[in-house]
Amino acid sequence: MAINDLLISRFYSQIILEDFSIEDQARLLKKEITVIGCGGLGSPASVYLAASGIGKINLVDPDKVETRNLHRQVFFQETDVGKHKVDILKNHIEKLNSNCNVSTFKNKSWEIDFNEYKSDLILDCSDNLRTKYSLNEECVNNNIPFCSASVSDSDGQIALFTNKPESHCCYNCLFPENGDVDANDCAESGVLGPTVMLVASLQTVIAMKYLLNKFTDTETIYRISSENISIKKNKILSNSSCRLNKL
């Protein structure tokens, strides 16, 4: 079957959208993304991106499934407890879309050599500040686009930074790195399960639009509240005192 016929038969419902095309679908097939953290945010984001036609996904997470994960990490089952999250997701994605190439890394993000592979976009779905700051620095230094999301209680936030060499605006501009980055671990705070899926879905839409050059709200923070059922956005300004700002 010709590639266009294959894309049409599988992704027909996407391709017929007014702001989508078969050319867009073919572009997604050539894209590579890296998902850091395969829990409540990373598991649905990676599955939805694979289902949408992304060609290659790198999954990074050293953790195994725990019983306490199951109320919000719905791609895992009770029988998965004790198994590595990246292995379960890889198996799920390959059964869902055999045309998606999946690589797994059972490492902390700061143990990964980002020079080994070049992603078109890195999705930060981690649950701790140490990972977010180390990822941000790696992406700034290597000019890799970086989409960070987090959830706590009934609230979530998403921001995408392009990290272009001619300008500077990064996660550290928005949240300056102060104090003990290990003191605030999102995994230890309460969270409403459906809020996590809501934020993950929006992060996925933002990622798809960016990969297709259809997302203009970069360097913008989206604040999502499932308590008030609201989304607010604000432009992020470059911080001249940011330690990563080399301009």
Side-chain angles (χ1 to χ4, degrees), residues 139-172:
C139 289
V140 169
N141 290 338
N142 291 281
N143 304 122
I144 303 172
F146 175 62
C147 184
S148 180
S150 60
V151 181
S152 181
D153 201 329
S154 298
D155 301 314
Q157 56 190 25
I158 308 168
L160 192 152
F161 303 92
T162 55
N163 291 320
K164 294 179 179 178
E166 65 271 17
S167 61
H168 178 83
C169 183
C170 74
Y171 185 87
N172 209 48

Side-chain angles (χ1 to χ4, degrees), residues 90-101:
K90 175 181 171 68
N91 182 59
H92 184 91
I93 290 171
E94 289 178 341
K95 288 180 179 179
L96 175 66
N97 183 0
S98 59
N99 292 312
C100 182
N101 186 345

Side-chain angles (χ1 to χ4, degrees), residues 12 105 115 120 150 239:
Y12 176 78
F105 301 84
N115 291 319
D120 296 293
S150 60
N239 184 348

Side-chain angles (χ1 to χ4, degrees), residues 38-141:
C38 295
L41 292 171
S43 53
S46 59
V47 171
Y48 269 115
L49 286 166
S52 298
I54 294 291
K56 181 171 175 54
I57 298 178
N58 304 304
L59 302 174
V60 181
D61 196 320
D63 292 346
K64 297 179 181 180
V65 178
E66 300 178 50
T67 300
R68 67 173 185 159
N69 300 150
L70 299 178
H71 92 284
R72 66 190 184 281
Q73 300 181 19
V74 298
F75 285 95
F76 304 128
Q77 304 175 24
E78 291 180 356
T79 53
D80 295 326
V81 172
K83 300 176 182 177
H84 280 283
K85 294 179 181 181
V86 292
D87 291 338
I88 298 165
L89 280 177
K90 175 181 171 68
N91 182 59
H92 184 91
I93 290 171
E94 289 178 341
K95 288 180 179 179
L96 175 66
N97 183 0
S98 59
N99 292 312
C100 182
N101 186 345
V102 183
S103 297
T104 61
F105 301 84
K106 300 183 182 76
N107 306 85
K108 299 287 188 182
S109 62
W110 52 82
E111 298 172 342
I112 297 295
D113 182 2
F114 286 89
N115 291 319
E116 291 182 2
Y117 54 91
K118 292 296 183 183
S119 292
D120 296 293
L121 178 66
I122 288 183
L123 269 67
D124 165 33
C125 302
S126 64
D127 59 8
N128 65 87
L129 289 176
R130 175 174 291 280
T131 299
K132 293 182 183 300
Y133 283 123
S134 66
L135 276 177
N136 176 66
E137 183 167 358
E138 195 73 37
C139 289
V140 169
N141 290 338

Side-chain angles (χ1 to χ4, degrees), residues 41 148-159 191 195-196 198-200 202 221-227 230-232:
L41 292 171
S148 180
S150 60
V151 181
S152 181
D153 201 329
S154 298
D155 301 314
Q157 56 190 25
I158 308 168
V191 64
T195 304
V196 181
L198 173 62
V199 175
L202 288 172
I221 184 168
Y222 286 81
R223 292 185 170 92
I224 303 103
S225 170
S226 63
E227 181 178 4
S230 64
I231 301 176
K232 299 178 180 179

